[in-house]
Amino acid sequence: MALLVMGVLLWAATHLSPSVSPGTRAALVGKLGENGYKGVFSLLLFAAIALIVVGWRGVEQPEYLYFLPAWTRHAGMLVVVIGFILMGAANYPSRIKRVIRHPQLTGFTLWALAHLAMNGESRSVVLFGGLALWAVLEIVFINRRDTEWVKPEAPGWGREVVGVVITLAVVVLFVFIHPWIAGVAIR
């Protein structure tokens, strides 16, 4: 479990540092160059993901902390799909960006909270609870750093629909690869 905790903390610290301390990022870019900074950032994230995966799989007998009613499983799956749609909307022109300032982080939060609702064992609480907390803090710190929100223009409906369809295709892909990523099939 220690590796899982370390991975979540490294993920959060790496992502939070530019929004909490933009001066540190600027100093590192000045020292390493933009590509050097991105390289170090990427290596830290790769290490965080590796720690999370090894830590997750290393918990052989997770302790169940709570059980929620069976219907939360179906509601949770719907919330995961909504989370993916929001995360996808961050990557293309979308009306969602006119309503939600941080669609990727909001979608990530929904994804994590849905996983918390569907999985009550200790490793899930550490992973998804930690990631949800990180995403909410990231939104708060980015809003504090970038005070003004400039809403983008609304795209045409065709572009919007294509973006949602591509995102739904990604959801289907994740359903199929979930057993290899998490070691758990989606039922």
Side-chain angles (χ1 to χ4, degrees), residues 3 10 29-30 33 48 50 58 63 68 73 85 89-90 98 102 112 115 117 124 128 141-142 155-156 160-161 165-166:
L3 292 177
L10 182 58
V29 168
E63 177 184 345
L68 294 178
R73 189 146 204 76
I85 290 170
R98 297 184 54 76
H102 304 285
H115 279 78
S124 290
F128 301 115
F141 288 126
I142 290 172
E160 189 92 40
V161 170
V165 168
I166 290 170

Short mmCIF file of all heavy atoms in Angstrom, two decimals, residues 3 10 29-30 33 48 50 58 63 68 73 85 89-90 98 102 112 115 117 124 128 141-142 155-156 160-161 165-166:
data_model
loop_
_atom_site.label_atom_id
_atom_site.label_comp_id
_atom_site.label_asym_id
_atom_site.label_seq_id
_atom_site.Cartn_x
_atom_site.Cartn_y
_atom_site.Cartn_z
N LEU A 3 3.56 1.91 -1.69
CA LEU A 3 3.90 2.33 -3.06
C LEU A 3 2.73 3.05 -3.71
O LEU A 3 2.92 4.03 -4.45
CB LEU A 3 4.32 1.13 -3.90
CG LEU A 3 5.64 0.47 -3.52
CD1 LEU A 3 5.89 -0.76 -4.39
CD2 LEU A 3 6.79 1.45 -3.62
N LEU A 10 3.05 11.51 -5.47
CA LEU A 10 3.94 12.02 -6.51
C LEU A 10 3.13 12.59 -7.67
O LEU A 10 3.46 13.66 -8.20
CB LEU A 10 4.88 10.92 -7.01
CG LEU A 10 5.90 11.31 -8.07
CD1 LEU A 10 6.80 12.46 -7.59
CD2 LEU A 10 6.73 10.10 -8.49
N VAL A 29 12.11 26.08 -15.96
CA VAL A 29 12.16 26.26 -17.41
C VAL A 29 13.39 27.08 -17.77
O VAL A 29 14.08 26.79 -18.74
CB VAL A 29 10.86 26.91 -17.94
CG1 VAL A 29 11.02 27.36 -19.39
CG2 VAL A 29 9.69 25.94 -17.81
N GLY A 30 13.69 28.12 -16.97
CA GLY A 30 14.88 28.93 -17.21
C GLY A 30 16.16 28.12 -17.09
O GLY A 30 17.11 28.35 -17.82
N GLY A 33 15.29 24.66 -19.70
CA GLY A 33 14.65 24.87 -21.00
C GLY A 33 13.26 24.24 -20.97
O GLY A 33 12.95 23.40 -20.12
N ALA A 48 5.22 8.15 -11.14
CA ALA A 48 4.00 8.12 -10.34
C ALA A 48 3.07 7.02 -10.81
O ALA A 48 2.53 6.24 -10.01
CB ALA A 48 3.29 9.48 -10.39
N ALA A 50 3.88 4.33 -12.52
CA ALA A 50 4.49 3.03 -12.22
C ALA A 50 4.29 2.67 -10.74
O ALA A 50 3.94 1.52 -10.43
CB ALA A 50 5.99 3.07 -12.55
N GLY A 58 0.12 -4.76 -5.89
CA GLY A 58 0.80 -5.34 -4.73
C GLY A 58 -0.09 -5.56 -3.53
O GLY A 58 0.27 -6.28 -2.60
N GLU A 63 -8.62 -4.60 2.12
CA GLU A 63 -9.62 -4.62 3.18
C GLU A 63 -10.84 -3.81 2.73
O GLU A 63 -10.70 -2.68 2.26
CB GLU A 63 -9.02 -3.99 4.44
CG GLU A 63 -9.97 -3.90 5.60
CD GLU A 63 -9.35 -3.17 6.78
OE1 GLU A 63 -8.12 -2.99 6.80
OE2 GLU A 63 -10.11 -2.76 7.65
N LEU A 68 -21.67 -0.37 -0.73
CA LEU A 68 -22.80 0.47 -1.11
C LEU A 68 -23.83 -0.40 -1.82
O LEU A 68 -23.52 -1.48 -2.31
CB LEU A 68 -22.33 1.61 -2.01
CG LEU A 68 -21.41 2.63 -1.34
CD1 LEU A 68 -20.97 3.68 -2.34
CD2 LEU A 68 -22.08 3.30 -0.15
N ARG A 73 -23.54 0.78 -8.53
CA ARG A 73 -22.67 0.28 -9.60
C ARG A 73 -23.12 0.84 -10.95
O ARG A 73 -22.31 1.33 -11.74
CB ARG A 73 -22.70 -1.24 -9.59
CG ARG A 73 -21.71 -1.89 -10.45
CD ARG A 73 -21.26 -3.19 -9.78
NE ARG A 73 -19.97 -3.57 -10.25
CZ ARG A 73 -18.83 -3.02 -9.88
NH1 ARG A 73 -18.80 -2.05 -9.03
NH2 ARG A 73 -17.69 -3.42 -10.38
N ILE A 85 -16.78 12.02 -21.04
CA ILE A 85 -17.25 13.04 -21.98
C ILE A 85 -16.68 14.41 -21.60
O ILE A 85 -16.22 15.15 -22.47
CB ILE A 85 -18.79 13.07 -22.04
CG1 ILE A 85 -19.30 11.80 -22.73
CG2 ILE A 85 -19.31 14.32 -22.74
CD1 ILE A 85 -20.80 11.58 -22.64
N ALA A 89 -14.07 16.61 -23.77
CA ALA A 89 -14.43 17.97 -24.18
C ALA A 89 -13.30 18.97 -23.96
O ALA A 89 -13.27 20.02 -24.60
CB ALA A 89 -15.68 18.42 -23.45
N ALA A 90 -12.39 18.65 -23.08
CA ALA A 90 -11.26 19.54 -22.84
C ALA A 90 -10.31 19.57 -24.03
O ALA A 90 -9.48 20.48 -24.15
CB ALA A 90 -10.50 19.10 -21.59
N ARG A 98 -18.00 26.26 -22.24
CA ARG A 98 -18.67 27.52 -21.93
C ARG A 98 -19.40 27.45 -20.61
O ARG A 98 -19.77 28.46 -20.04
CB ARG A 98 -19.65 27.88 -23.05
CG ARG A 98 -18.96 28.13 -24.39
CD ARG A 98 -19.91 28.58 -25.47
NE ARG A 98 -20.71 29.73 -25.11
CZ ARG A 98 -20.29 30.98 -25.07
NH1 ARG A 98 -19.02 31.26 -25.33
NH2 ARG A 98 -21.10 31.96 -24.75
N HIS A 102 -13.23 23.92 -16.08
CA HIS A 102 -12.19 22.89 -16.14
C HIS A 102 -12.83 21.53 -16.43
O HIS A 102 -12.95 20.69 -15.54
CB HIS A 102 -11.42 22.82 -14.82
CG HIS A 102 -10.82 24.12 -14.41
ND1 HIS A 102 -9.70 24.63 -15.02
CD2 HIS A 102 -11.20 25.02 -13.47
CE1 HIS A 102 -9.40 25.81 -14.46
NE2 HIS A 102 -10.30 26.06 -13.53
N ALA A 112 -13.21 9.59 -10.63
CA ALA A 112 -12.67 9.10 -9.36
C ALA A 112 -13.77 8.85 -8.33
O ALA A 112 -13.78 7.82 -7.65
CB ALA A 112 -11.64 10.09 -8.81
N HIS A 115 -15.69 5.74 -9.12
CA HIS A 115 -14.93 4.55 -8.71
C HIS A 115 -14.98 4.35 -7.19
O HIS A 115 -15.02 3.21 -6.72
CB HIS A 115 -13.48 4.64 -9.21
CG HIS A 115 -13.33 4.23 -10.64
ND1 HIS A 115 -13.67 5.06 -11.68
CD2 HIS A 115 -12.91 3.06 -11.19
CE1 HIS A 115 -13.44 4.42 -12.82
NE2 HIS A 115 -12.99 3.21 -12.56
N ALA A 117 -17.54 5.11 -5.37
CA ALA A 117 -18.89 4.60 -5.10
C ALA A 117 -19.00 3.12 -5.46
O ALA A 117 -19.77 2.39 -4.83
CB ALA A 117 -19.92 5.41 -5.87
N SER A 124 -8.78 1.18 -3.28
CA SER A 124 -9.60 2.09 -4.09
C SER A 124 -9.79 3.42 -3.39
O SER A 124 -9.78 4.47 -4.03
CB SER A 124 -10.96 1.47 -4.38
OG SER A 124 -10.82 0.39 -5.27
N PHE A 128 -8.53 6.37 -5.63
CA PHE A 128 -9.56 7.25 -6.20
C PHE A 128 -9.88 8.42 -5.28
O PHE A 128 -10.16 9.52 -5.76
CB PHE A 128 -10.81 6.44 -6.54
CG PHE A 128 -10.50 5.35 -7.54
CD1 PHE A 128 -10.63 4.02 -7.19
CD2 PHE A 128 -10.04 5.65 -8.80
CE1 PHE A 128 -10.34 3.01 -8.09
CE2 PHE A 128 -9.73 4.66 -9.71
CZ PHE A 128 -9.88 3.33 -9.36
N PHE A 141 -6.60 25.78 -7.11
CA PHE A 141 -5.34 26.50 -7.27
C PHE A 141 -5.22 27.14 -8.65
O PHE A 141 -4.68 28.25 -8.78
CB PHE A 141 -4.15 25.60 -6.98
CG PHE A 141 -3.98 25.28 -5.52
CD1 PHE A 141 -3.91 23.96 -5.09
CD2 PHE A 141 -3.92 26.28 -4.57
CE1 PHE A 141 -3.77 23.66 -3.75
CE2 PHE A 141 -3.79 25.99 -3.22
CZ PHE A 141 -3.71 24.67 -2.82
N ILE A 142 -5.72 26.49 -9.68
CA ILE A 142 -5.68 27.10 -11.02
C ILE A 142 -6.59 28.32 -11.05
O ILE A 142 -6.22 29.36 -11.61
CB ILE A 142 -6.08 26.08 -12.11
CG1 ILE A 142 -4.98 25.03 -12.27
CG2 ILE A 142 -6.34 26.79 -13.44
CD1 ILE A 142 -5.35 23.88 -13.19
N PRO A 155 -18.71 25.89 -30.77
CA PRO A 155 -18.43 25.31 -32.10
C PRO A 155 -19.73 24.93 -32.80
O PRO A 155 -20.81 24.97 -32.20
CB PRO A 155 -17.62 24.06 -31.75
CG PRO A 155 -18.18 23.64 -30.43
CD PRO A 155 -18.49 24.93 -29.70
N GLY A 156 -19.61 24.50 -34.04
CA GLY A 156 -20.77 23.98 -34.74
C GLY A 156 -21.19 22.64 -34.13
O GLY A 156 -20.39 21.94 -33.52
N GLU A 160 -19.17 19.20 -32.37
CA GLU A 160 -19.53 18.77 -31.01
C GLU A 160 -19.90 17.29 -31.00
O GLU A 160 -19.43 16.53 -30.15
CB GLU A 160 -20.70 19.61 -30.51
CG GLU A 160 -21.02 19.43 -29.06
CD GLU A 160 -20.29 20.44 -28.20
OE1 GLU A 160 -20.18 21.61 -28.57
OE2 GLU A 160 -19.82 20.02 -27.13
N VAL A 161 -20.73 16.89 -31.94
CA VAL A 161 -21.18 15.49 -32.01
C VAL A 161 -20.00 14.57 -32.30
O VAL A 161 -19.87 13.49 -31.69
CB VAL A 161 -22.31 15.32 -33.05
CG1 VAL A 161 -22.61 13.86 -33.32
CG2 VAL A 161 -23.56 16.05 -32.59
N VAL A 165 -18.78 11.44 -29.98
CA VAL A 165 -18.71 10.08 -30.53
C VAL A 165 -17.31 9.50 -30.35
O VAL A 165 -17.16 8.33 -29.97
CB VAL A 165 -19.14 10.08 -32.02
CG1 VAL A 165 -18.81 8.75 -32.70
CG2 VAL A 165 -20.63 10.37 -32.13
N ILE A 166 -16.29 10.30 -30.62
CA ILE A 166 -14.91 9.83 -30.41
C ILE A 166 -14.69 9.49 -28.95
O ILE A 166 -14.10 8.46 -28.61
CB ILE A 166 -13.89 10.87 -30.93
CG1 ILE A 166 -13.94 10.94 -32.45
CG2 ILE A 166 -12.48 10.54 -30.43
CD1 ILE A 166 -13.16 12.08 -33.05
#
